[in-house]
Amino acid sequence: MTVILSHGFLMTADVWRLQARELSAGGVRVVRYDQRAHGNSVPGRAALTVDRLGADLAHVVDATTPHGPIVLAGHSMGGMAALTVAARQPELIRRRRPHVALISTACSRAQLVPGNHPLHWIKAAARAGYSYPLCWLPPAADVARRRLPSRHPWALRPETQHGGDTPPPSRQAIRRTPTAQIAQLWKSLRTYTTAEMLHALDALAGHVEIVTGELDDWIPLSQTHELAQQLPKARMHEPVIGAGHRLPTDRVGHAAVTQVLNRMAEAALRAPASAAPRGERT
């Protein structure tokens, strides 16, 4: 039994530390990884797109868990990667029949404006204020990032290495990533969609759950409802009261995510499955 955890934009696998700790304590095998160009993962030579992240996730599944029951949990951009696997590689979904947790994620492009409240428009203006220079003036942004304090999440410190076996903190997600690469991925998020392409995932009746926070101002509830409409057989939970976007580490939301993953792992273990090859670790 393996739970594979995929993190979001400008984060690292460290965002899953609470869930990984509890799942492992319960005897569940956990796989978490830094998305390419994040944390300890290099960008590679391929274009940085959500489709590429979906292909990466499919590779992680095949490389780490070729057999046995699995749970795929994706937060934000990590959830988009999981949806991309369903859209682009539906045969993997049909063959492995994973349980899937879609946490604070969407099947349509990232939005600058999360709603119609005046505060949302203020946030949108602030986001546009830094996203457009990042996308169109990356060399200048790199100069500014090198002058930021070392602990600033946007600081650019290519020479800094994270020691130990644990993932680097999420605040170090892009400290080695040039701005041009961040911009490339952001542009992909702004054009991404898997709407009308999730038939393989919708066929997993009872295997898919959608979780979000009431105060999520990156993936608004309108996008969560759109995702639920694309997956009418999925279980959509009531939004976690008082929780924001970073649900796996949210002060009030992390327990809800852990509970969902624990239950899905138990359900995956109970599901009929072919016998594991001799020597396989589950």
Side-chain angles (χ1 to χ4, degrees), residues 206-279:
H207 282 216
V208 182
E209 302 192 27
I210 300 170
V211 188
T212 191
E214 173 200 26
L215 304 179
D216 192 330
D217 60 1
W218 275 107
I219 306 291
L221 286 176
S222 59
Q223 285 189 287
T224 305
H225 288 300
E226 178 189 14
L227 176 60
Q229 290 172 358
Q230 294 291 319
L231 298 169
K233 297 177 184 176
R235 176 185 178 186
M236 179 174 169
H237 293 254
E238 288 294 322
V240 180
I241 302 299
H245 179 64
R246 195 173 290 207
L247 209 54
T249 55
D250 187 273
R251 182 177 59 85
V252 298
H254 71 87
V257 174
T258 303
Q259 184 180 39
V260 166
L261 295 183
N262 271 322
R263 188 178 63 253
M264 295 183 90
E266 293 172 2
L269 268 176
R270 291 195 302 267
S274 59
R278 184 175 300 174

Side-chain angles (χ1 to χ4, degrees), residues 80-96:
M80 295 177 181
L83 294 173
T84 299
V85 172
R88 308 297 186 198
Q89 302 187 51
E91 69 284 352
L92 186 151
I93 300 297
R94 297 188 186 105
R95 173 168 51 89
R96 299 303 303 273

Side-chain angles (χ1 to χ4, degrees), residues 139-148:
D142 281 346
V143 171
R145 290 176 63 199
R146 289 190 183 96
R147 296 178 179 177
L148 291 172

Side-chain angles (χ1 to χ4, degrees), residues 11-60:
M11 302 179 197
T12 71
D14 179 63
V15 79
W16 296 107
R17 60 186 177 275
L18 300 175
Q19 290 73 35
R21 187 182 306 151
E22 183 154 338
L23 288 164
S24 297
V28 176
R29 180 172 180 258
V30 175
V31 173
R32 51 181 176 153
Y33 65 100
D34 290 341
Q35 303 272 18
R36 64 173 58 218
H38 290 67
N40 286 332
S41 290
V42 298
R45 296 181 178 179
L48 280 170
T49 65
V50 182
D51 276 4
R52 181 67 256 174
L53 300 184
D56 290 343
L57 175 55
H59 177 73
V60 168

Side-chain angles (χ1 to χ4, degrees), residues 112-127:
L112 287 176
V113 185
N116 294 318
H117 191 278
L119 182 60
H120 293 153
W121 288 97
I122 294 173
K123 289 182 177 181
R127 291 169 182 172

Side-chain angles (χ1 to χ4, degrees), residues 38-217:
H38 290 67
N40 286 332
S41 290
V42 298
R45 296 181 178 179
L48 280 170
T49 65
V50 182
D51 276 4
R52 181 67 256 174
L53 300 184
D56 290 343
L57 175 55
H59 177 73
V60 168
V61 172
D62 288 338
T64 67
T65 319
H67 308 283
I70 56 174
V71 173
L72 300 181
H75 170 251
S76 192
M77 184 181 72
M80 295 177 181
L83 294 173
T84 299
V85 172
R88 308 297 186 198
Q89 302 187 51
E91 69 284 352
L92 186 151
I93 300 297
R94 297 188 186 105
R95 173 168 51 89
R96 299 303 303 273
R97 294 190 59 80
H99 288 248
V100 182
L102 301 170
I103 300 163
S104 304
T105 194
C107 63
S108 55
R109 69 190 187 97
Q111 298 181 6
L112 287 176
V113 185
N116 294 318
H117 191 278
L119 182 60
H120 293 153
W121 288 97
I122 294 173
K123 289 182 177 181
R127 291 169 182 172
Y130 66 73
S131 67
Y132 285 112
L134 288 178
C135 289
W136 304 114
L137 297 170
D142 281 346
V143 171
R145 290 176 63 199
R146 289 190 183 96
R147 296 178 179 177
L148 291 172
S150 60
R151 290 185 62 82
H152 194 283
W154 280 91
L156 181 60
R157 300 288 187 274
E159 72 286 354
T160 302
Q161 300 292 326
H162 172 74
D165 297 328
T166 58
S170 285
R171 68 175 180 274
Q172 296 182 14
I174 55 170
R175 65 187 302 114
R176 291 192 292 160
T177 308
T179 303
Q181 295 170 0
I182 300 170
Q184 193 177 26
L185 187 50
W186 173 245
K187 290 176 182 178
S188 177
L189 287 166
R190 291 283 289 155
T191 59
Y192 151 89
T193 181
T194 51
E196 309 300 333
M197 295 185 285
L198 300 177
H199 310 296
L201 205 58
D202 192 43
L204 299 178
H207 282 216
V208 182
E209 302 192 27
I210 300 170
V211 188
T212 191
E214 173 200 26
L215 304 179
D216 192 330
D217 60 1

